[in-house]
């Protein structure tokens, strides 16, 4: 039995869809409200204050990028399933997948980087510019953000493999 | 005369090298020292305080990623020049380039995202978590960082095109 490139491709795309959806859902449910002191008033005076992903443009970009990737992955998984059976089309499909996948590598990797860069400041702060860490207060928010970034990193690596896989499938067609 | 894929590939890799080197040099020369007020003392008391790329882990990652990309681009440009003349090797070269280029798409895109996410906070601040903007004071530093990120974004897009180009060169070999 020859190696079934199409079946592996569909499988990887379904895993990519799952990773993107998990990242989006975990980030969307990250809102946390805590009682925090008000600057200029005694520390005993505390008001409820929320942290959510819409507070940071980097996290909003992350959500847009991962949502688009989820949609893309399910569309290409369906296309791969439906068109993979027609041998006459397969070269064009592998080319199209390789060309589109590499664009999504860029989108997901940049989203992971942007969210990761901002989340790291939230975790550790930056004393040089007096940006205080917030994860000591908003621990649940930070746990959600960290989990979403981990799944997004996994999705980016999976997209790299998918691009390599399509390229290799094309390479094997050369006689 | 047939379309010379190899010559275009070498040309794009030289441009990539230039973009990566410019990004690294501009980021490396971003240090700026300003007289800033000390918290807790009257605002008339000011001390010299520097902003440089080593203050932020995201910018350090950016430097590592872009330096590696510069090295990679010049090695592959040389490899493409030397090996491009031997027709028997070209399929393997295009495959190797496509597989390696897509990894660097991920590296450069994530570095651009990380540096961009942090630089945006420097430019606008984030009132939700009381992270003050710093670009009103360290304007020259921010101009350098912004320029480096622009060249890095260009490098990422160029790498996407290089991957597409190698893949397309492979595709054209299928008869």
């Amino acid at each position: 039995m020859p190696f079934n490139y199409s079946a592996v491709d569909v499988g990887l795309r379904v895993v990519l869809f799952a990773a993107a959806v998990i990242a989006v859902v975990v980030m969307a449910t990250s809102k946390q409200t805590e009682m925090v002191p008000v600057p200029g008033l005694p520390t005993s005076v505390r008001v409820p204050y929320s942290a959510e992903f819409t507070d940071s443009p980097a996290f909003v970009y992350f959500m847009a990028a991962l949502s688009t990737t989820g949609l893309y992955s399910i569309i290409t998984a369906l296309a791969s399933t439906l068109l993979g059976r027609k041998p006459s089309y397969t070269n064009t499909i592998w080319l199209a997948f390789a060309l589109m996948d590499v664009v999504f590598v860029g989108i997901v990797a940049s989203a992971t980087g942007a969210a990761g860069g901002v989340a790291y400041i939230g975790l550790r702060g930056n004393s040089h510019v007096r940006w205080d860490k917030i994860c000591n207060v908003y621990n649940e928010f930070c746990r959600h953000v960290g989990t979403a970034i981990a799944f997004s990193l996994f999705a980016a690596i999976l997209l790299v493999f998918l691009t390599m896989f399509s390229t290799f499938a094309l390479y094997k067609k050369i006689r």
Side-chain angles (χ1 to χ4, degrees), chain A residues 34-47:
Chain A
E34 289 293 328
M35 301 301 287
V36 295
V38 185
L41 292 179
T43 51
S44 58
V45 179
R46 285 167 183 261
V47 293

Side-chain angles (χ1 to χ4, degrees), chain A residues 13 69 72-73 75-77 79-80 92-107 159 162-163 166:
Chain A
R13 284 175 199 283
T69 306
Y72 168 78
S73 62
I75 289 170
T76 48
S80 193
T92 319
I93 295 170
W94 289 121
L95 177 67
F97 280 177
L99 299 189
M100 293 188 298
D101 284 354
V102 69
V103 174
F104 277 89
V105 170
I107 291 172
L159 273 162
L162 271 165
T163 311
S166 307

Side-chain angles (χ1 to χ4, degrees), chain A residues 51-98:
Chain A
E52 50 192 320
F53 78 88
T54 50
D55 293 350
S56 161
F59 294 161
V60 173
Y61 172 60
F62 179 92
M63 288 295 266
L66 269 290
S67 305
T68 315
T69 306
L71 190 65
Y72 168 78
S73 62
I74 205 69
I75 289 170
T76 48
L78 286 173
S80 193
T81 312
L82 295 173
L83 299 171
R85 289 171 199 156
K86 299 177 185 174
S88 58
Y89 282 120
T90 48
N91 291 348
T92 319
I93 295 170
W94 289 121
L95 177 67
F97 280 177

